Structures are given as C-alpha cells and as structure tokens.
Amino acid sequence: MIQVKNPDQIKAMRVAGRITGEAILVAQEMIREGVTTKQIDDRIRQYIEKCGAKPSFLGYAGFPGSACISINDEVIHGIPSAKRYLHEGDIVKIDVGAYIGGFHGDSANTFGVGKISDDAQRLIDVTRQSFEMAIRALEVPNARIGDIGNAIQTHVEKNGYSVVRQYIGHGVGHELHEQPDVPNFGIAGRGLRLTKGMTIAIEPMVNAGAYQVRQCADGWTVVTADGSLSAHYEHSVALTEEGPILLTKV
Ligand code: MG
Ligand code: MG
C-alpha cells in the first residue's frame, strides 16, 4: 500500500532528509587516500546521532554499518571495514539514511578520491544528470512511474552506459522501503500515476559496462558482473502542490 503523506508529515520528512543530506556532506569531506570506509562510517553514525536521529541502515536486515560504502565496481551495499582503504583514483559511493520523528531519509552520492579518470568522472556526471532528468519528468502533470525510469534509462543509454535492473528505487517514509517500486528503467506513460503526497527515493545505479550485477560472498556487497565501474545517485523526493521537493538535498 502506498502511504500518502500530508503536509505536516512531509515537513517531518524534511528534517530526516536534511540530516541525511548533511551526513553525506560529512562523509564527502573525509574522502581522501588512506581513509578507511569504517572511519567514514563511524563519522556518519556520530553525526546522525548528534542530530538526535538514528542511522536507518544500522541493523537493517542485520546490516552492520550506518552507511553503505561501495568502491569502484561495487554498485551498492558495501560494508564499511577498517581494512578497506580509499586509494587515489577510486570512486566511492556513500549511501545513508537517517530516522527521526517517525520518518526516514535516504540519499546516496558518488565521489572521486583525489584525481580520477575522465571516464570515471563522466560516469558520475551522467548518473547525476539521469536523476535530474527524472525530476524534470516529474514536473510534468500526471506523470507516471514509467516516466521516471524512462527518463533515467534514456539518458544513461544515450551515453553508452547501462542501468542496473535488479535493484531499484522505492517509496520512503515511515519505513525505509515502502511502496511503490521506482525502477530506473521503463516505458514513458506506463505504470502508477504519481500524486501529491507521495514520497519516493529515486536512485539511478549506472554501470559503465553491462547492467548485470552479482552479490558477493559477504551476503551484502553487490558488484558489476563484468567488473566495470558503477555510480549511484539518490535523493528522497516529495511530490507536492509546488512540484517535486528534494528532501535530502542540502
Ligand atoms: Mg539509499
Ligand atoms: Mg534507497
């Protein structure tokens, strides 16, 4: 069931969203060669707790970290580790959620470590742009779920990349993952009609190579099947009278 939020609930989601977005910034400031993903995760947890919130991911289905931190060919769900160091030229995906006032925020971004290749930068840029295309599609009245996925997929494939199929965006609110499903691929004009009060996490996962992914033996980390680089960009978005609002953008 889709839980439509009233304006007060969306206001509360803005608080969770702001803390989530700030936690991403806290992580971004730490990114440099030699830092471990555990150090970044610890800071994220400290920041979220200092704000009076809880890290949404910590303990979620048994996940051991406060953030998912995924490097290079790792697509999503990387487990923070004291043995995992960032290296010059890596691209690192930070995915964070914060829970406060009964609501979750959910956001992710991809950052370069030091100097990265032009190809890696282009992948990051196209991924973010595909999200922006999805937002533009939402500004059209009576948009449908398929318009989001179609906007993302069209931009990504035009640039020679592929959209991950196996993992998708989702509703967000009282629960970290709610209805509806929000695929990053699809047919324009198809699917659920989007209405005011819906809150969804739009999160293109874009591979430089083929779209296939596989899960690692740790039971969490998802990597590209062909070993190509992958980028991720996500915001929690509220659909309102005034159009889409990016709840996790700070
Ligand atoms: Mg996320
Ligand atoms: Mg999400």
Side-chain angles (χ1 to χ4, degrees), residues 57 95 106-107 168-170 176-177 201 203 232 234:
F57 299 178
D95 191 351
D106 189 6
S107 183
I168 58 176
H170 50 91
L176 182 59
H177 296 114
E203 51 175 317
H232 188 197
E234 174 181 31

Side-chain angles (χ1 to χ4, degrees), residues 10-54:
I10 288 177
K11 219 164 137 188
M13 285 195 68
R14 279 176 176 265
V15 176
R18 179 177 49 76
I19 295 167
T20 303
E22 287 169 356
I24 296 262
L25 293 184
V26 165
Q28 182 182 6
E29 282 167 12
M30 291 182 72
I31 288 174
R32 66 180 63 85
E33 172 149 88
V35 170
T36 70
T37 56
K38 173 78 162 65
Q39 287 174 311
I40 297 171
D41 187 66
D42 286 344
R43 275 276 279 282
I44 286 171
R45 179 174 43 75
Q46 285 160 14
Y47 183 78
I48 289 172
E49 288 175 351
K50 194 187 83 182
C51 294
K54 283 185 179 155

Side-chain angles (χ1 to χ4, degrees), residues 31 72 87-92 110-125 229 231:
I31 288 174
N72 296 336
H87 298 289
E88 176 93 6
D90 284 345
I91 64 170
V92 55
T110 305
F111 304 105
V113 182
K115 175 114 186 69
I116 62 171
S117 71
D118 291 346
D119 285 349
Q121 188 60 55
R122 188 170 156 270
L123 176 69
I124 292 172
D125 292 343
L229 286 181

Side-chain angles (χ1 to χ4, degrees), residues 52-180:
K54 283 185 179 155
S56 302
F57 299 178
L58 188 62
Y60 184 95
F63 189 76
S66 294
C68 296
I69 306 182
S70 313
I71 300 172
N72 296 336
D73 64 323
E74 296 169 354
V75 180
I76 48 168
H77 300 171
I79 301 172
S81 165
K83 291 179 193 153
R84 196 72 196 278
Y85 292 87
L86 301 187
H87 298 289
E88 176 93 6
D90 284 345
I91 64 170
V92 55
K93 283 131 277 182
I94 311 274
D95 191 351
V96 175
Y99 179 77
I100 187 169
F103 292 99
H104 293 274
D106 189 6
S107 183
N109 206 342
T110 305
F111 304 105
V113 182
K115 175 114 186 69
I116 62 171
S117 71
D118 291 346
D119 285 349
Q121 188 60 55
R122 188 170 156 270
L123 176 69
I124 292 172
D125 292 343
V126 167
T127 304
R128 187 193 61 253
Q129 289 159 6
S130 74
F131 172 88
E132 290 161 359
M133 300 291 180
I135 296 301
R136 234 178 274 172
L138 285 177
E139 285 163 354
V140 177
N142 296 315
R144 291 177 180 269
I145 285 284
D147 297 321
I148 296 174
N150 185 258
I152 291 169
Q153 183 179 15
T154 300
H155 186 70
V156 166
E157 293 181 355
K158 194 174 76 188
N159 281 281
Y161 300 138
S162 66
V163 166
V164 171
R165 306 290 200 276
Q166 212 173 326
Y167 298 88
I168 58 176
H170 50 91
V172 59
H174 289 302
E175 305 294 331
L176 182 59
H177 296 114
E178 297 183 348
Q179 288 299 311

